Amino acid sequence: MTKELVHPATVLLDAQCGAQRLPVCDHYSGVEARMRKSLQLQAEMMQEFGTCVFDVTLDCEDGAPVGQEAEHARLVVELASKAAQGARVAARVHAVEHAHFQADMDIIAGGAADKLCHIMIPKVESVDDVIKAEAALQRATDKRVPLHVLIESPAAVQQAFDIAAHPAVQSISFGLMDFVSAHGGAIPASAMTAQGQFEHPLVVRAKLEIAAACHAHGKVPSHCVVTEFKNPEALGACAQKASRELGYTRMWSIHPDQIRPILRAFAPAEDEVLQAAQILTSAAVQNWAPISFGGVLHDRASYRYFWQLLERAHQTGQVLPVEVQPWFAPASIR
């Protein structure tokens, strides 16, 4: 390029495009040894890919030991504070009605707010729970930390659009196991499996409601776990379905072996990346006016799609075509 071109992130803005861009994988660990290994793996993969390709969420809730909640919260602060430069580290606290919730927020947000990319609030039932979490965060620190929320009941699914509309919420995750359990046996255990969770109508409906609510308000829908962590083929198939059929742009990992399959499943194909780069660089030269590419007319409506595709490629650690790499240089990213 011989002249300075307007950055795509500056010109390709639209409220319905979704303002939030997050890594496609959110990896959870709550036992000290696993938390330390997760952060080490994150640092190693940052060196490998040149960017942080997954979040590490340090768990204080279901994935953590019971009985030493305050000590565990202080450990989360210590680990987050020592994370590698550029690492994305989060914490899952207890639910807002739990006896340890405010202490979690006071210790973790109060001690490491500037190190956290977000705080996950589990078992959110309504926007009132989001308001309580925001108040607890404000009590603990004057720093702003995005809230991610976990919807785990049929009543909460009904409130998904109101929850997604709250400005403090950055992402909504679906809690599969608790959602199935909340139906009192009306949904069989098979609906918690890799295959069954994409077949039972009530489960699929809940996933679609959450994805639709997030996209309606520019938030990130995060897909639930796959517990068959020793079956990478099943995990990859689930991740592809979540991404390509249900509209999810992010997914949970609960074992290190799940991270790379999730990255691959959510990554666009190489030929798609090349096409997107060619279309966008051609459009940039024309100051983002409509162009004809391969006999097809494109304008800013389709440019937005191709820009999002390049962003997803970058988030999953793909090597981008040389001509678009300057758009993703640290000084260039908006």
Side-chain angles (χ1 to χ4, degrees), residues 129-150:
D129 288 343
V130 178
I131 293 171
K132 291 176 184 176
E134 186 179 36
L137 177 63
Q138 291 172 345
R139 168 180 154 172
T141 178
D142 59 358
K143 298 180 176 65
R144 296 183 64 183
V145 182
L147 298 180
H148 290 199
V149 303
L150 183 57

Side-chain angles (χ1 to χ4, degrees), residues 304-331:
R304 292 185 182 103
Y305 169 81
F306 292 112
W307 173 242
Q308 292 164 9
L309 189 146
L310 286 185
E311 287 187 310
R312 190 166 73 252
H314 177 66
Q315 290 164 352
T316 52
Q318 289 182 276
V319 177
L320 299 174
V322 173
E323 61 267 29
V324 301
Q325 288 180 12
W327 286 337
F328 293 90

Side-chain angles (χ1 to χ4, degrees), residues 92-333:
R92 176 164 69 162
V93 298
H94 287 87
V96 295
E97 300 300 332
H98 195 280
H100 292 280
F101 168 70
Q102 186 62 61
D104 281 351
M105 295 294 276
D106 288 343
I107 295 170
I108 296 171
D114 58 341
K115 300 292 185 179
L116 298 175
C117 57
H118 65 267
I119 295 175
M120 167 60 77
I121 312 296
K123 298 177 174 61
V124 168
E125 290 293 310
S126 69
V127 73
D128 289 341
D129 288 343
V130 178
I131 293 171
K132 291 176 184 176
E134 186 179 36
L137 177 63
Q138 291 172 345
R139 168 180 154 172
T141 178
D142 59 358
K143 298 180 176 65
R144 296 183 64 183
V145 182
L147 298 180
H148 290 199
V149 303
L150 183 57
I151 285 181
E152 306 179 66
S153 75
V157 170
Q158 188 180 16
Q159 304 297 317
F161 280 81
D162 289 339
I163 293 170
H166 195 285
V169 172
Q170 187 180 58
S171 174
I172 299 179
S173 295
F174 175 56
L176 172 63
M177 272 69 80
D178 278 320
F179 179 81
V180 171
S181 299
H183 285 77
I187 300 178
S190 60
M192 294 186 284
T193 65
Q195 180 176 343
Q197 64 175 281
F198 290 95
E199 296 176 345
H200 196 283
L202 287 175
V203 175
V204 174
R205 172 183 172 271
K207 292 183 181 185
L208 290 172
E209 285 291 307
I210 290 170
C214 285
H215 290 299
H217 294 286
K219 308 303 173 65
V220 176
S222 187
H223 194 264
C224 58
V225 300
V226 172
T227 55
E228 296 95 322
F229 63 87
K230 292 187 177 181
N231 188 341
E233 291 78 16
L235 173 71
C238 288
Q240 286 192 352
K241 288 181 180 179
S243 172
R244 300 177 188 180
E245 298 177 17
L246 302 185
Y248 281 79
T249 58
R250 182 169 161 96
M251 184 170 177
W252 284 35
S253 160
I254 54 172
H255 189 279
D257 290 346
Q258 294 184 324
I259 295 172
R260 290 182 187 269
I262 290 174
L263 294 179
R264 288 194 296 268
F266 277 80
E270 185 177 343
D271 59 340
E272 293 177 322
V273 174
L274 180 60
Q275 180 191 47
Q278 292 171 336
I279 289 173
L280 291 179
T281 52
S282 298
V285 171
Q286 299 300 321
N287 293 320
W288 304 103
I291 65 168
S292 174
F293 183 86
V296 177
L297 182 66
H298 291 281
D299 61 14
R300 285 195 291 277
S302 58
Y303 299 158
R304 292 185 182 103
Y305 169 81
F306 292 112
W307 173 242
Q308 292 164 9
L309 189 146
L310 286 185
E311 287 187 310
R312 190 166 73 252
H314 177 66
Q315 290 164 352
T316 52
Q318 289 182 276
V319 177
L320 299 174
V322 173
E323 61 267 29
V324 301
Q325 288 180 12
W327 286 337
F328 293 90
S332 176
I333 296 174

